[in-house]
Amino acid sequence: MTCNMTQRLISAYVDRELSEDERARVRQHLALCPDCMAVYEMTLEVKTALGSMAPAPCPECLWEDVRDRIAALPFQIETGYTSGFRPLRAIWSFARLVVPAAVAGTIVAIPLVHMIFGVSLFGPSGSRQQPIAASTPPRLVISAPASEGAGFVRYQTARMSSSSSKQFGLDTTLRGDGDPSSPDDRLGLLLEQMQDASLTCTWIGGSTHE
Amino acid sequence: MVNQQALAVTAQHLSKEAEFESLVLRYQNSVYNIALRMAGNPDEAQDLAQEAFVRAYRSFDSYRRGTSFDKWLYRIVTNLYIDEVRRRRRRPYVESLDERIMMAGGDEIDREIADLSHSPETVYDREHLDACIQSALGQMSPDFRMAVILCDIEGFSYEEIAQIMGTSIGTVRSRIHRGRRALRERIAPCLPAQSGEVRPK
């Protein structure tokens, strides 16, 4: 240990605030170094001199002055609770701890649940993501009267939101061969789009003939 | 009809005052002593101690019963003094030591300033040594001064000082080390052992 390092630790050594290891190393150095030993003795003397300073008697008027100033402070009677327990404060301190924890937990849990169980927490309640077959979109319901020949069908798309469907008024008229069970290309395209955008489609009317 | 609630609050207020009074009477000596060592003169020390107690009373409700009242109180003293020093630095008060002092009756007198670093006949005197230490303390920065006072005069551990001053133990260790190093140099001539020649490498 160098003199510089030792002298930096001497104050803490005098105060017995060093670890056993540091203490042993300082002691070892002091035994061999008269300069550091002199600094140690001087530090000890300073500490002793400060500790033996004559305590100054407190002026007797101190408490009296404090009491007068306290008495002059506005005395407020709280109309609320007289006991130390304050429900609003208690609720606030509880909420202050719990709310951020709950928000953080939710943020972490949503992607985890989604990833592990495949449950979409933003879809219809309790809905589980199903593997979607390429040919038949699962959430698409098309019902149309049996038709013969060319015609058109009108569809209205709706976004599924939890248990209820919210229509957003996209009114699409499709022209095809009049047979909804074998849709033409445009119908096929719409079905694909709806599948991608989690849309559902319900037939609301139409005519088999123009 | 007596308002029961107001009566209960008043009783609580009185019991708070009584509790506070007993704590002030118990700790006023050490608070005053710390204030004196920090401020360096009795008038300022009395103002500092008084202000600290008034502030303590104002926030007495936030003091957690069962925890150490003295540390809580000394923390108020520390913050108060350090704030005061910062405030004063912004509005420095400078007084020339060569200027004569004007007395109330219109007379003028010379200042008599003790030369604390010389006259070996007097430095052995306890009073002069105390004045020498006080003067040396006054030349240190308030942070170092408070750390040394709490350690050497009040006998707190580094951990307790860290709690009072709101810093880490490492900072306390550094402040005490640097504070004592400055004191060593300034007090050395006043000490009976006259080991003032020692200088750290």
Side-chain angles (χ1 to χ4, degrees):
Chain A
M1 195 182 252
T2 63
C3 288
N4 197 16
M5 282 165 69
T6 307
Q7 287 178 19
R8 217 179 297 158
L9 295 177
I10 276 180
S11 259
Y13 179 78
V14 169
D15 294 329
R16 301 187 159 269
E17 291 276 356
L18 290 181
S19 67
E20 268 310 307
D21 178 52
E22 284 173 318
R23 205 171 161 71
R25 285 193 294 157
V26 171
R27 200 185 300 126
Q28 211 174 357
H29 182 94
L30 288 180
L32 301 169
C33 177
D35 282 350
C36 288
M37 191 61 178
V39 172
Y40 162 72
E41 283 169 356
M42 190 63 199
T43 307
L44 198 59
E45 269 189 81
V46 167
K47 185 178 170 68
T48 312
L50 271 138
S52 55
M53 278 176 99
C58 171
E60 281 181 15
C61 58
L62 183 61
W63 165 241
E64 286 163 24
D65 291 345
V66 171
R67 191 183 51 204
D68 291 347
R69 283 187 61 187
I70 287 172
L73 290 175
F75 172 47
Q76 291 169 337
I77 293 183
E78 292 175 23
T79 49
Y81 298 88
T82 55
S83 73
F85 179 72
R86 295 177 181 177
L88 273 180
R89 193 176 284 184
I91 291 168
W92 165 240
S93 17
F94 178 74
R96 205 172 44 176
L97 289 175
V98 169
V99 170
V103 170
T106 310
I107 289 169
V108 172
I110 287 173
L112 278 178
V113 168
H114 189 76
M115 208 164 66
I116 298 169
F117 303 107
V119 175
S120 171
L121 296 177
F122 294 110
S125 73
S127 76
R128 205 174 256 266
Q129 280 185 332
Q130 299 290 342
I132 296 165
S135 55
T136 51
R139 286 195 293 270
L140 189 71
V141 182
I142 301 173
S143 56
S147 61
E148 290 174 9
F152 71 94
V153 286
R154 290 175 65 225
Y155 295 93
Q156 198 162 42
T157 50
R159 186 184 293 277
M160 293 301 288
S161 167
S162 62
S163 57
S164 65
S165 66
K166 280 184 183 169
Q167 299 205 342
F168 58 92
L170 174 62
D171 197 345
T172 312
T173 303
L174 281 177
R175 294 168 194 281
D177 59 8
D179 182 5
S181 61
S182 58
D184 66 4
D185 284 351
R186 287 179 59 204
L187 182 57
L189 188 68
L190 177 70
L191 298 183
E192 262 182 33
Q193 285 171 350
M194 288 191 294
Q195 181 186 321
D196 286 344
S198 302
L199 299 174
T200 189
C201 179
T202 310
W203 181 84
I204 57 166
S207 166
T208 54
H209 297 284
E210 275 189 294
Chain B
M1 186 185 163
V2 179
N3 184 334
Q4 292 291 318
Q5 195 180 41
L7 201 63
V9 174
T10 310
Q12 194 191 3
H13 179 79
L14 290 175
S15 90
K16 175 185 163 186
E17 251 192 20
E19 185 189 5
F20 190 74
E21 180 180 352
S22 75
L23 286 166
V24 172
L25 294 175
R26 189 161 154 203
Y27 291 107
Q28 62 178 359
N29 280 320
S30 55
V31 167
Y32 177 75
N33 211 36
I34 290 177
L36 182 65
R37 298 305 167 210
M38 284 300 286
N41 72 73
D43 289 343
E44 261 189 76
Q46 192 171 342
D47 288 348
L48 178 61
Q50 197 188 103
E51 185 61 32
F53 279 124
V54 172
R55 287 208 188 181
Y57 181 80
R58 276 191 182 145
S59 47
F60 195 45
D61 289 335
S62 71
Y63 159 65
R64 280 180 296 150
R65 305 297 189 274
T67 61
S68 166
F69 181 76
D70 57 345
K71 280 184 218 141
W72 181 76
L73 192 58
Y74 298 156
R75 181 157 196 177
I76 293 175
V77 179
T78 306
N79 292 339
L80 196 61
Y81 183 73
I82 289 170
D83 285 352
E84 176 65 22
V85 168
R86 282 191 194 128
R87 205 166 53 83
R88 240 185 277 164
R89 260 188 217 144
R90 288 197 288 271
R91 293 188 292 107
Y93 172 69
V94 182
E95 191 178 39
S96 169
L97 292 175
D98 297 328
E99 207 173 290
R100 289 164 68 84
I101 301 169
M102 184 73 77
M103 300 299 284
D107 298 335
E108 284 188 14
I109 54 162
D110 282 323
R111 285 167 198 268
E112 200 171 292
I113 300 158
D115 184 352
L116 300 166
S117 56
H118 295 93
S119 59
E121 304 83 43
T122 55
V123 293
Y124 294 102
D125 185 46
R126 182 72 247 177
E127 211 173 294
H128 281 84
L129 178 58
D130 282 5
C132 178
I133 295 170
Q134 189 61 63
S135 157
L137 281 171
Q139 293 172 55
M140 289 161 65
S141 90
D143 287 337
F144 293 1
R145 198 186 318 158
M146 183 55 101
V148 170
I149 289 171
L150 290 173
C151 181
D152 292 347
I153 299 180
E154 295 300 319
F156 283 114
S157 71
Y158 285 11
E159 194 182 350
E160 289 169 322
I161 297 169
Q163 284 168 10
I164 293 170
M165 297 191 74
T167 56
S168 67
I169 294 179
T171 306
V172 170
R173 189 195 266 209
S174 159
R175 282 177 183 171
I176 291 176
H177 161 68
R178 292 167 67 186
R180 284 223 192 98
R181 191 174 58 192
L183 282 177
R184 271 203 311 259
E185 289 163 9
R186 289 177 189 138
I187 299 177
C190 312
L191 287 170
Q194 280 293 319
S195 42
E197 294 82 27
V198 174
R199 289 285 179 273
K201 273 187 179 176

